[in-house]
């Protein structure tokens, strides 16, 4: 089966001449149907640049991005744009404060021509119910919702567009731990029920351990290791991965034992 | 052991357009000399306001009503004049904020800001002497090219570097209490681990007591001697760190622990949605009560 998303030797350089910055260098990986691939790395490792290239915010400098086996053009068609959706870190700033959350969700339906005009408010309410919010929340502004509720709206917005691949850019970093657990559970259920694929960008390795099928570790724009989640945590091949896992604050002795068994020490 | 900080039945209310909202419902805690005490809770539970009350910053807001006892080294803080309280800040009590880059002033160099801090205790200090003292202090936080750092502006340094500068500044005047409000949350995980290790070593050497505010249970477990868990303005559990983590007694603490994803795997937790149990009375572990 062809993978849903393939990156082949993708690079991105910002600027030219001596001040050029290679934000992403020669990155290749696949995301299969229904898979959750975690992209981890520290700030400046190129995670968000990668997301922007997959979304088509800007084109890659070289290499190829394939969706469903076909090359994605830099200028995306409506079909591509609806199939690849984004959920951002801070829902309060990613939702338009002057629109009701229903209007924010509906905008995608209008742009992509999903459903008939009379049908769309019902679709908006269905999408809200799917993420565990009452349908009549659609009249509320984002300011009247809590952080966790806003993030659910952002997820509903991505789902309503009939997406197949969702880029989750730090979707739970701004949330409290109890809220985070519920949102992660929701994302898992939606992935299973709807056969979605995720590119899960995060720096939180303990979240990755519990939600991802595979992990891609980035450092300074390069993909340093990519493997099954269990292999990454139990037998990392690269020192940098060891160091990342070694720095995770843990709450139980079992975790401490695992961390010490890797004993990477902290990077200089 | 003597208490550095004692808080007794602290209540806080904010007056707003829509009436009065109660934020703290009578919290009590104490910190002994050289001890590291953590206050853990979710956003909006009242962690940061508690820190600001100890510094006397919130009392200056006309909309805030603060009641309750505050004692620093046996002295009643409520009886201090504004000027006396101001004299404590930055000398006997200092604070580290969450985002180091925005807590430093962007229009002055690190050297200028460091001199200002040192002159709080030693007003006549010359700039040369201040730079020399700052240099040694920066050495202690493993910044070795201190001449460059002192001449730089905060935005020219990385987040981790700024955090170390802020730690050096906070400890410069040998405070007896350091308040750390989510230090390292804004930093990468490897930088955070290094920063905390460094802070741990420094407070151990200088015998400074630390009031550590965080929402990250993993960080708290690694840093604190004693833990207070706060939920909606009430302390729900308190005790020595190992007791809290091995045997959490309160429903809220147990829910918090269950919600933390583990690096050993095990999948996502199933959360019980009932929050009524979170309002049960406080659980105090042996040794948690001073």
């Amino acid at each position: 089966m062809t993978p849903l998303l393939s990156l082949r030797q993708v690079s991105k350089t910002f600027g030219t001449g001596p001040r050029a910055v290679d934000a992403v260098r020669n990155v290749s990986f696949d995301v299969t149907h229904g898979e959750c691939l975690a992209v981890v790395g520290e700030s400046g490792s190129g995670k968000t640049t990668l997301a922007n290239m997959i979304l088509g915010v800007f084109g890659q400098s070289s290499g190829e991005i394939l969706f469903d086996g076909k090359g994605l053009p830099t200028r995306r068609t409506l079909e591509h744009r609806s199939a690849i959706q984004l959920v951002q870190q801070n829902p309060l700033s990613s939702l338009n404060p002057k629109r009701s959350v229903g209007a924010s969700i509906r905008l995608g339906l209008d742009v992509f021509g999903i459903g008939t005009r009379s049908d769309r408010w019902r679709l908006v309410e269905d999408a809200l119910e799917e993420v565990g919010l009452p349908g009549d929340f659609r009249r509320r502004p984002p300011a009247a919702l809590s952080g966790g509720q806003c993030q659910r709206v952002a997820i509903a917005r991505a789902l309503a567009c009939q997406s197949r691949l969702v880029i989750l850019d730090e979707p739970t970093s701004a949330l409290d731990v109890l809220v985070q657990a519920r949102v992660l559970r929701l994302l898992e259920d939606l992935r299973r029920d709807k056969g979605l694929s995720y590119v899960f960008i995060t720096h939180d390795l303990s979240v990755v351990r519990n939600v991802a099928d595979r992990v891609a570790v980035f450092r300074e724009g390069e993909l340093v290791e990519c493997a099954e989640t269990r292999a990454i945590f139990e037998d990392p091949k690269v020192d940098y991965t060891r160091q990342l896992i070694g720095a995770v604050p843990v709450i139980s002795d079992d975790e401490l034992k695992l961390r010490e068994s890797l004993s990477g020490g902290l990077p200089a | 052991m003597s208490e550095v900080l004692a808080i007794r039945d602290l209540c806080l209310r904010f007056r707003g357009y829509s009436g009065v909202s109660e934020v703290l419902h009578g919290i009590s805690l104490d910190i002994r000399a050289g001890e590291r005490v953590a206050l853990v809770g979710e956003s909006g539970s009242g962690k940061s306001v508690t820190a600001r009350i100890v510094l006397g910053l919130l009392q200056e807001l006309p909309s805030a009503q603060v009641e309750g006892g505050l004692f620093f080294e046996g002295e009643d803080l409520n009886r201090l004049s504004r000027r006396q309280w101001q004299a404590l800040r930055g000398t006997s009590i200092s604070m580290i904020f969450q985002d180091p880059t925005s807590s430093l002033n962007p229009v002055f160099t690190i050297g200028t800001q460091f001199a200002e801090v040192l002159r709080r205790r030693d007003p006549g200090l010359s700039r040369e002497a201040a730079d020399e003292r700052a240099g040694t202090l920066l050495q202690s936080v493993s910044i070795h090219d201190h001449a460059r750092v002192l001449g730089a502006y905060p935005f020219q340094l990385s987040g981790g570097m700024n955090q170390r500068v802020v730690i050096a500044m906070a400890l410069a005047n040998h405070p007896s209490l350091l308040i750390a409000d989510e230090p390292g949350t804004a930093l990468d995980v490897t930088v955070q681990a290094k920063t905390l290790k460094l802070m741990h070593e420094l407070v151990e050497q200088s015998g400074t007591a630390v009031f550590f505010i965080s929402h990250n249970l993993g960080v708290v477990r690694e840093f604190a001697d004693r833990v207070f868990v706060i939920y909606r303005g009430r302390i729900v559990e308190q005790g020595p760190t190992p007791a809290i983590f091995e045997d959490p007694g309160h429903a809220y603490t147990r829910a918090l622990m269950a919600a933390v994803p583990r690096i050993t795997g095990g999948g996502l937790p199933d959360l019980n949605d009932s929050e009524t149990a979170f309002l049960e009375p406080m659980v105090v572990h042996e040794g948690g009560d001073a």
Side-chain angles (χ1 to χ4, degrees):
Chain A
M1 205 159 81
T2 48
L4 183 63
L5 178 80
S6 299
L7 275 76
R8 298 271 164 271
Q9 302 286 316
V10 171
S11 299
K12 179 71 188 175
T13 309
F14 291 108
T16 49
R19 302 192 67 177
V21 177
D22 294 321
V24 170
R25 270 174 279 185
N26 271 332
V27 169
S28 304
F29 63 75
D30 292 339
V31 181
T32 57
H33 294 267
E35 186 183 38
C36 175
L37 175 83
V39 171
V40 302
E42 297 185 90
S43 15
S45 62
K47 306 190 296 286
T48 302
T49 304
L50 193 74
N52 283 336
M53 286 191 288
I54 298 172
L55 286 161
V57 175
F58 44 68
Q60 64 273 25
S61 305
S62 64
E64 210 180 0
I65 302 178
L66 304 166
F67 189 73
D68 243 352
K70 290 190 241 20
L72 279 176
T74 309
R75 198 172 166 77
R76 300 288 162 85
T77 61
L78 278 183
E79 202 181 318
H80 289 138
R81 281 161 55 196
S82 72
I84 307 176
Q85 288 290 323
L86 172 71
V87 173
Q88 280 165 306
Q89 174 169 4
N90 190 340
L92 272 171
S93 57
S94 67
L95 293 170
N96 186 336
K98 295 196 171 176
R99 275 174 193 274
S100 69
V101 298
S104 283
I105 298 174
R106 178 165 171 145
L107 187 63
L109 302 181
D110 289 340
V111 169
F112 300 128
I114 296 167
T116 59
R117 287 187 71 160
S118 54
D119 227 16
R120 284 183 194 146
W121 284 123
R122 192 183 51 75
L123 292 176
V124 167
E125 289 183 6
D126 289 350
L128 283 171
E129 275 159 21
E130 229 159 6
V131 296
L133 295 174
D136 58 10
F137 262 43
R138 71 175 171 87
R139 292 176 211 284
R140 299 197 183 185
L145 270 57
S146 70
Q149 287 170 338
C150 275
Q151 199 58 295
R152 283 170 193 264
V153 170
I155 295 168
R157 198 197 51 72
L159 290 181
C161 298
Q162 301 180 338
S163 53
R164 297 167 63 197
L165 175 71
V166 184
I167 316 272
L168 303 161
D169 192 352
E170 306 266 7
T172 59
S173 308
L175 305 178
D176 280 321
V177 56
L178 287 170
V179 183
Q180 165 178 280
R182 296 201 178 105
V183 171
L184 289 175
R185 164 70 64 187
L186 170 72
L187 287 170
E188 272 300 285
D189 292 347
L190 290 171
R191 173 160 77 106
R192 199 189 46 229
D193 297 347
K194 303 190 150 258
L196 295 171
S197 301
Y198 292 153
V199 173
F200 196 116
I201 298 175
T202 182
H203 64 272
D204 190 337
L205 282 148
S206 40
V207 168
V208 167
R209 178 69 171 100
N210 294 287
V211 300
D213 300 315
R214 279 189 309 137
V215 185
V217 183
F218 277 77
R219 183 184 202 183
E220 290 167 13
E222 282 177 54
L223 180 61
V224 294
E225 187 166 8
C226 186
E228 304 277 321
T229 306
R230 180 183 274 275
I232 286 274
F233 281 87
E234 285 168 14
D235 185 23
K237 301 283 183 238
V238 180
D239 272 348
Y240 181 66
T241 312
R242 282 171 198 277
Q243 288 165 354
L244 275 185
I245 299 170
V248 178
V250 297
I251 66 161
S252 67
D253 290 338
D254 289 352
E255 292 174 283
L256 209 59
K257 230 176 273 166
L258 172 77
R259 218 177 63 175
E260 273 162 11
S261 73
L262 298 174
S263 70
L266 293 173
Chain B
M1 241 190 314
S2 65
E3 281 162 11
V4 175
L5 178 75
I7 299 175
R8 294 276 168 271
D9 258 329
L10 186 67
C11 292
L12 169 69
R13 280 182 287 272
F14 282 115
R15 272 194 312 265
Y17 292 114
S18 51
V20 176
S21 56
E22 293 215 20
V23 180
L24 295 176
H25 306 263
I27 69 167
S28 300
L29 63 84
D30 27 35
I31 302 174
R32 288 168 284 216
E35 198 182 25
R36 293 180 296 269
V37 172
L39 185 61
V40 202
E42 295 181 55
S43 42
S45 59
K47 310 183 296 283
S48 295
V49 286
T50 307
R52 272 156 218 266
I53 290 172
V54 174
L55 283 173
L57 296 175
L58 217 55
Q59 286 87 331
E60 295 182 4
L61 271 184
S63 62
Q65 298 177 339
V66 182
E67 279 164 32
L70 287 172
F71 302 91
F72 176 70
E73 296 185 324
E75 197 175 0
D76 188 349
L77 288 177
N78 287 322
R79 304 178 114 181
L80 296 186
S81 66
R82 273 176 76 163
R83 180 179 285 251
Q84 284 170 314
W85 210 321
Q86 168 69 13
L88 280 183
R89 293 198 280 262
T91 53
S92 303
I93 308 179
S94 60
M95 180 148 179
I96 300 174
F97 294 91
Q98 177 170 359
D99 183 356
T101 309
S102 59
S103 61
L104 290 164
N105 192 329
V107 300
F108 294 108
T109 61
I110 301 289
T112 311
Q113 296 184 58
F114 224 121
E116 195 186 332
V117 169
L118 291 168
R119 285 185 189 132
R120 302 225 3 105
R121 177 143 285 188
D122 201 352
L125 196 70
S126 73
R127 180 60 193 265
E128 288 71 37
D131 278 354
E132 205 185 302
R133 284 259 299 277
T136 7
L137 287 161
L138 288 177
Q139 287 271 4
S140 72
V141 292
S142 4
I143 294 178
H144 300 298
D145 51 348
H146 46 83
R148 177 182 74 89
V149 171
L150 287 174
Y153 291 92
F155 55 82
Q156 294 172 316
L157 303 173
S158 68
M161 193 78 113
N162 277 328
Q163 186 69 282
R164 280 186 272 165
V165 168
V166 171
I167 292 174
M169 279 183 185
L171 294 171
N173 290 329
H174 308 290
S176 33
L177 177 66
L178 172 67
I179 302 175
D181 189 356
E182 306 262 5
T185 306
L187 303 173
D188 274 324
V189 48
T190 50
V191 183
Q192 172 180 319
K194 270 189 290 190
T195 314
L196 288 174
K197 188 161 168 270
L198 186 78
M199 216 169 98
H200 201 294
E201 287 164 8
L202 286 176
V203 295
E204 202 127 88
Q205 278 166 25
S206 59
T208 305
V210 185
F211 185 27
F212 188 84
I213 291 167
S214 182
H215 69 277
N216 187 327
L217 287 165
V219 169
V220 166
R221 180 185 147 110
E222 281 171 32
F223 191 80
D225 302 320
R226 265 193 314 139
V227 180
F228 288 79
V229 183
I230 186 169
Y231 175 66
R232 293 200 185 171
R234 286 188 180 84
I235 303 280
V236 294
E237 184 157 3
Q238 65 180 80
T241 310
I244 294 258
F245 280 88
E246 275 155 34
D247 181 26
H250 196 276
Y252 177 67
T253 319
R254 282 200 297 268
L256 271 188
M257 304 263 185
V260 177
R262 311 291 170 102
I263 57 165
T264 40
L268 296 168
D270 275 312
L271 286 181
N272 183 357
D273 271 324
S274 152
E275 293 190 356
T276 43
F278 294 175
L279 300 172
E280 282 170 7
M282 174 163 52
V283 177
V284 180
H285 290 266
E286 194 94 354
D289 207 14

